[in-house]
Amino acid sequence: MDANDKQACAELIQTWGLYRDQGKWPQLLATFVPDGRIAVSWFSGSFRDFVHRSRQAFDAGQRSKHQIFPSIVRGAGDRALAETNIVILVRQRIADVLIDMTSHARFLDRLERRDGRWAIFERAAIYERDRLDPVEPSPAFDKLFAATDLSVYPEAYRYMAARLVAAGRALAPVVYGDGSPHTAQLYARYEAWLEGA
């Protein structure tokens, strides 16, 4: 894999974040292959369905910001793996308290070159740590979380999970975090795929 291919893959990952945050749905769809799949905290399935659900949330006024750092890209022929540090920022109202959620995570991507163009084939978000903060100091915020048992959620995505549940949304069947068997299996599967399996 040459430097131009690595640059194309890295730029694709950057543009994904811009299109997702700005609600540019046709452009966002084009970052993945048509049969692409994605697994994040709140969704696991086809990328087309992810875009549809993201658009519904966007149209309902829910916004997020993805800060995407430089990617590490490795390739073999028309296949590539990329790992990218990200920070996800979300503002949301929970029980009349305006909060900011900050989640540190990584995107692990399988990319393919089809008809001379790179696109993402599969993405999994791997969560590392997160936090919730009130936008303004508020005794209501303290009461909100004093009444909530957050220990039921893994530490890597504890507050992401709490805000999703508070918004009436379900967690994906598998949410990846460092140290879990699911995450180790994910890495092994991606590596085997890069090697041609």
Side-chain angles (χ1 to χ4, degrees):
M1 177 175 229
D2 65 19
N4 289 332
D5 286 328
K6 287 188 175 187
Q7 177 62 34
C9 291
E11 186 171 313
L12 179 68
I13 292 164
Q14 289 289 329
T15 58
W16 181 95
L18 180 67
Y19 298 152
R20 168 68 178 81
D21 294 344
Q22 296 299 313
K24 296 183 176 180
W25 311 117
Q27 296 94 324
L28 181 62
L29 276 168
T31 62
F32 268 64
V33 299
D35 54 339
R37 300 188 63 77
I38 188 168
V40 295
S41 62
W42 58 273
F43 181 87
S44 181
S46 81
F47 187 65
R48 288 191 174 279
D49 289 345
F50 169 86
V51 172
H52 176 70
R53 296 261 308 269
S54 297
R55 184 172 190 165
Q56 288 178 323
F58 190 92
D59 291 346
Q62 297 175 23
R63 298 289 188 275
S64 60
K65 182 74 174 177
H66 294 77
Q67 296 178 336
I68 300 179
F69 294 84
S71 300
I72 305 293
V73 181
R74 296 181 293 124
D78 290 330
R79 295 181 175 189
L81 291 185
E83 193 159 8
T84 310
N85 284 316
I86 62 166
V87 177
I88 307 162
L89 306 171
V90 179
R91 180 162 287 182
Q92 176 180 332
R93 190 171 296 279
I94 301 175
D96 292 327
V97 179
L98 196 61
I99 57 95
D100 281 337
M101 192 277 308
T102 305
S103 175
H104 295 259
R106 301 187 307 281
F107 284 152
L108 186 62
D109 291 326
R110 293 196 297 160
L111 301 100
E112 286 188 349
R113 180 168 42 202
R114 296 184 182 180
D115 300 321
R117 188 182 78 83
W118 287 99
I120 301 166
F121 178 71
E122 182 182 6
R123 164 171 289 170
I126 302 168
Y127 295 91
E128 299 171 348
R129 62 184 172 90
D130 60 4
R131 62 181 292 148
L132 282 179
D133 298 288
V135 174
E136 297 179 357
S138 165
F141 179 84
D142 298 335
K143 289 179 185 175
L144 178 66
F145 287 96
T148 305
D149 181 11
L150 296 174
S151 67
V152 299
Y153 306 116
E155 187 175 353
Y157 54 90
R158 180 164 290 162
Y159 299 102
M160 172 84 76
R163 80 159 192 90
L164 288 169
V165 171
R169 297 166 72 184
L171 290 171
V174 175
V175 180
Y176 296 101
D178 285 325
S180 80
H182 291 299
T183 304
Q185 292 163 8
L186 178 77
Y187 272 97
R189 181 166 62 82
Y190 273 43
E191 289 292 340
W193 172 83
L194 185 63
E195 293 168 8

